[in-house]
Each structure stands twice: as structure tokens, then as C-alpha cells.
Amino acid sequence: QINEAAAVVFSVPSYACQRRTTLQNHNTVLTEALSLLAENAELNEEDGRAIAFRRSEAVLKALPKAVTNLADLRGLPCLGEHSLKIIKDVLKDGVSSEVETTRQSDRYKALKVLTGIFGVGAKTADRWIKMGISTLHQLQASGQTLNQAQQAGLEHYEDLNQPVAKAEADAIGDVVQKVVLSVLPGALITLIGGFRRGKPTGHDVDFLITHPEEGREVGLLPKVASLLKSQGFLLYQKTTRNSYLESDDGPARLSSNMDRFERCFSIFKLEMNPGTTRSGTPRSSSRTESQSDDHSPQTPGGVHENGLESRRRSWRAVRVDLVVSPISQFAFALLGWTGSKLFEREMRRWAGHEKAMSLSSHALYDTKQRRYLRAASEEEIFAHLGLEYIPPSQRNA
Ligand code: GTP
Ligand code: MN
Ligand code: MN
């Protein structure tokens, strides 16, 4: 065959956790096409299909150069029939008609808009669409009862759908660090999630908090949240306490991937006024939202926090996740919350299928030895799993 001689031979291991995937991607047109189909499947709760597209996407992200020919893909893992069809179309025409049809579809567009509201998942969005609600206006007009998270999500819709820059994450980190240390001196605060992987922007900011003395971290978040709130930094927060149970032979095993750490989902109020120092005392929570902009000289009175006037505000809303782990579980929490989501999922799959082990953000259990394997660092966890260590910047699968 003509293609045979020209074909590039790529060698890629099957599990994403065996690969080094940097942010630099030589196949963005292909990966964006597959990513949209994966996202659409996720929004429709077609999990198997979503994972298949995500795995294909991740294989292409790991390639050292651009694919130009279908023959280049020979021998690559995870590329199913459907993904190959999409890749073929994109290589031939520059676009895939299935991807473009999906992108333009009313259902995809409505699911995107509605799940763009913090607190609204695929199930709720589907229920609303079936009631004829496809836009924010229709939702507001419908009189649907919204929970507190969703109300806050709708109120700060525009801000929360703007990417968060690394500088903004760092500014929030300064505030969080100060408050956490004032409640628990000696606490350690680590930026996790996408920013730890070196992403320049994110949809939120994630922090992991621990303390070198086991047990000192218990009950930290309610205090941190109430202090942040009293200082006017929180527009919304929901704190849940640690529900991870200790049994005789170590921490109890979890059936799902959900973890049980003490955590706080919040919407942070980030000051952006150039005249305001980051660490300066912000407004008190006793003032109402509409009053709170008044101190700013270039902000006219009566500005509302959403809608067209948003550019005149001196602050923006940012989603912030705080997670607290005891030091004994810190390495597992750090690994589990650094992502990417696919990298994590693949690591758990590797543990289960290849090593008869069970990995969570709390612990690693060896089914054959019937015991928990301790680890004080991410490197030790990779070693327990028989995997080469992959640093955070190369976990962008
Ligand atoms: P952006 O925020 O979009 O930049 O990407 P991200 O990678 O930071 O994603 P996200 O903030 O959603 O999650 C960060 C990491 O935490 C990912 O690896 C998730 O798998 C993980 N994560 C998020 N929620 C949970 C959870 O409830 N339990 C556990 N164990 N991990 C979670
Ligand atoms: Mn994140
Ligand atoms: Mn998060």
C-alpha cells in the first residue's frame, strides 16, 4: 500500500497513567472533535460512550507529532470504530459532520447552558429540557424551585463561566493561606487540580489542606469558611465534614470513587480593583451586596452584580474547592485531586485490572495481601502500583 511507507509508527501504552501527556498537543483539531463528542455523551449520561471518546482523545494527546494519515494510527490502543470514523472524516475534510451536527443541536446547546449553572447536573438539565426549559430566561420565567447552590450559580453565571487565570488562583491562595494559618498554625496549603498540572487557566481553583500532626486538621473547614464569610470573601459555601470511617485494619473501603474528606464548595469573591491590595481587609459581610461596591471610586452606585454592567464591578466570582486530608492520607488526596479526571480514572482502572489493588483518594488496598499500602508521597504510590512516576505537568491526559 502507498500509505505504508509514509506511515509514522507511534508507540503508546494503553493506560493514560503509563503515558506522559503534556499540555502541548500536536493534534488539537482531532482532540477537540473527540472531546466535544465525549462532552455530549457526558451531558447525556452515556458513560461508556463518554469514556471511549475520552480515551481516544487522550491517546491522540499523547502523540509526539501531528497525525496526517489514518495509517499513522495503526497499532494505537483505545481507538474504537466510532472514534476512528471521526478521525477519518476530520483528516479528510477538516471537520466531522457528526461533530458539527452535535455542536449545533438544540439539545447539546441547552444542556451546555443549563449545566453551566453551578449546582445543575445532567439529570436536572434533562428534566428541565423535557419541561421546555432550554435557556436561562426560560428557567427564570418557569418559577422552578432552585436550591441555594443553583441560585448562587444563576446569580454569578457570567463570572463562573469565565476562565480563572493563574494570577487569580494565586491571589485566592494568598487569602486562603492567611485565613487557614490564623485558624491552624502550621497547616500546609497546596494548589491542586489543573493549576498544579501547569494549566494557565481553570474552571475553578482547588486547594488541599493538611497539618503535619495527625488529627489537628479535624473540624478546620467550618472555622475557615465562617472566617472567610465574615471577612466578605464568600458569596456561597457548602461545607461537609469528613465521613471517612476508620475500621480496625485501617480506613474503611469505599464502594465508589467519591471521597469522604472534609470539604468546602464555594463561590469566592475576588477583588480585582487595581487600587485594592490583595491582602487588604475586604468589606464586611454585614453590608449587603448592593452596598458593597460603593467604596470603589470608579464604580457608580446602584450597579448590579450580573448582567451588562458587570464590567464596572471591582470584583468577580470564582469557584473555589477546599479539601482537608489527614497527613496519613495526604499523598493519596494529592494524587487524587491533581487530575486530570481521565488520568485518575485510568490509574484506578490500572490498579484494579492489572494489580488487583483498589486506589482511592484516601488509600491503596492490596486485595491479595489483604492490607493497605502506606505512602508518604505520590512517588511511593506509583511505585506500589508498578508504574513509572509521572509528574503533575505530564498528567494532562
Ligand atoms: P479545571 O478546574 O477545569 O481547570 O480542571 P481540574 O482538573 O482542576 O478539574 P476539577 O476541579 O473538576 O477537579 C480536579 C481534580 O479533583 C480532578 O482530578 C477530579 O477527578 C478530582 N475531583 C473532583 N471532585 C472530586 C471528588 O468529589 N472526589 C474525588 N476523589 N476527586 C474529585
Ligand atoms: Mn479545578
Ligand atoms: Mn474543583
Side-chain angles (χ1 to χ4, degrees), residues 58-75:
V59 164
L60 298 185
K61 277 186 183 170
L63 300 181
K65 50 178 141 171
V67 171
T68 53
N69 194 312
L70 258 195
D72 296 346
L73 303 173
R74 205 170 308 152

Side-chain angles (χ1 to χ4, degrees), residues 120-131:
V120 177
K123 277 204 174 58
T124 303
D126 177 61
R127 185 162 48 83
W128 287 344
I129 291 169
K130 285 179 174 142
M131 297 168 66

Side-chain angles (χ1 to χ4, degrees), residues 329-358:
Q329 297 171 19
F330 179 75
F332 297 99
L334 184 61
L335 179 62
W337 280 83
T338 295
S340 69
K341 283 192 184 81
L342 184 76
F343 191 93
E344 304 295 342
R345 186 187 284 143
E346 291 278 279
M347 221 164 165
R348 292 192 298 264
R349 188 165 70 95
W350 167 273
H353 290 200
E354 306 294 330
K355 298 287 159 180
M357 293 182 188
S358 164

Side-chain angles (χ1 to χ4, degrees), residues 116-380:
I117 304 169
F118 170 62
V120 177
K123 277 204 174 58
T124 303
D126 177 61
R127 185 162 48 83
W128 287 344
I129 291 169
K130 285 179 174 142
M131 297 168 66
I133 299 166
S134 297
T135 67
L136 299 185
H137 281 117
Q138 287 168 348
L139 176 62
Q140 273 162 325
S142 73
Q144 278 294 304
T145 311
L146 304 180
N147 65 31
Q148 282 197 9
Q150 294 162 346
Q151 281 174 38
L154 198 53
E155 195 172 344
H156 303 292
Y157 187 86
E158 212 188 21
D159 277 8
L160 298 185
N161 283 285
Q162 293 294 323
V164 184
K166 176 63 162 57
E168 294 175 316
D170 289 336
I172 290 169
D174 288 351
V175 172
V176 169
Q177 171 124 357
K178 204 171 203 170
V179 168
V180 168
L181 290 179
S182 79
V183 175
L184 182 63
L188 303 166
I189 298 104
T190 309
L191 183 62
I192 48 173
F195 288 114
R196 183 162 181 255
R197 303 196 306 275
K199 279 179 63 182
T201 61
H203 96 283
D204 69 356
V205 192
D206 311 285
F207 295 99
L208 177 60
I209 306 167
T210 190
H211 190 281
E213 254 177 81
E214 185 94 0
R216 291 284 299 279
E217 80 290 345
V218 173
L220 175 66
L221 276 191
K223 292 177 201 159
V224 167
S226 91
L227 211 52
L228 282 170
K229 187 157 188 259
S230 74
Q231 294 181 9
F233 285 115
L234 293 185
L235 298 161
Y236 167 87
Q237 68 90 22
K238 184 177 164 141
T239 305
T240 52
R241 62 183 185 80
N242 187 325
S243 60
Y244 195 68
L245 305 167
E246 291 277 337
S247 65
D248 290 341
D249 59 346
R253 290 181 70 190
L254 295 168
S255 51
S256 79
N257 294 330
M258 280 299 290
D259 69 47
R260 310 280 186 85
F261 291 119
E262 188 174 298
R263 60 197 278 182
C264 176
F265 298 101
S266 75
I267 300 176
F268 216 87
K269 183 172 190 173
L270 176 64
E271 289 296 335
M272 301 189 304
N273 190 334
T276 309
T277 55
R278 268 192 211 161
S279 51
T281 309
R283 66 276 332 255
S284 140
S285 63
S286 60
R287 306 177 67 187
T288 65
E289 291 297 356
S290 57
Q291 287 170 321
S292 62
D293 281 307
D294 294 351
H295 77 289
S296 169
Q298 65 269 61
T299 306
V303 172
H304 290 283
E305 62 204 71
N306 54 13
L308 296 173
E309 307 208 66
S310 61
R311 255 170 298 151
R312 280 188 256 166
R313 280 188 282 120
S314 65
W315 58 272
R316 67 161 292 183
V318 178
R319 274 272 300 112
V320 175
D321 286 337
L322 305 176
V323 188
V324 173
S325 100
I327 191 78
S328 61
Q329 297 171 19
F330 179 75
F332 297 99
L334 184 61
L335 179 62
W337 280 83
T338 295
S340 69
K341 283 192 184 81
L342 184 76
F343 191 93
E344 304 295 342
R345 186 187 284 143
E346 291 278 279
M347 221 164 165
R348 292 192 298 264
R349 188 165 70 95
W350 167 273
H353 290 200
E354 306 294 330
K355 298 287 159 180
M357 293 182 188
S358 164
L359 175 69
S360 76
S361 297
H362 295 277
L364 178 62
Y365 184 78
D366 186 322
T367 313
K368 288 188 214 139
Q369 296 188 57
R370 295 182 168 211
R371 68 180 185 100
Y372 286 91
L373 305 179
R374 310 231 161 252
S377 66
E378 291 180 317
E379 284 86 344
E380 288 176 46

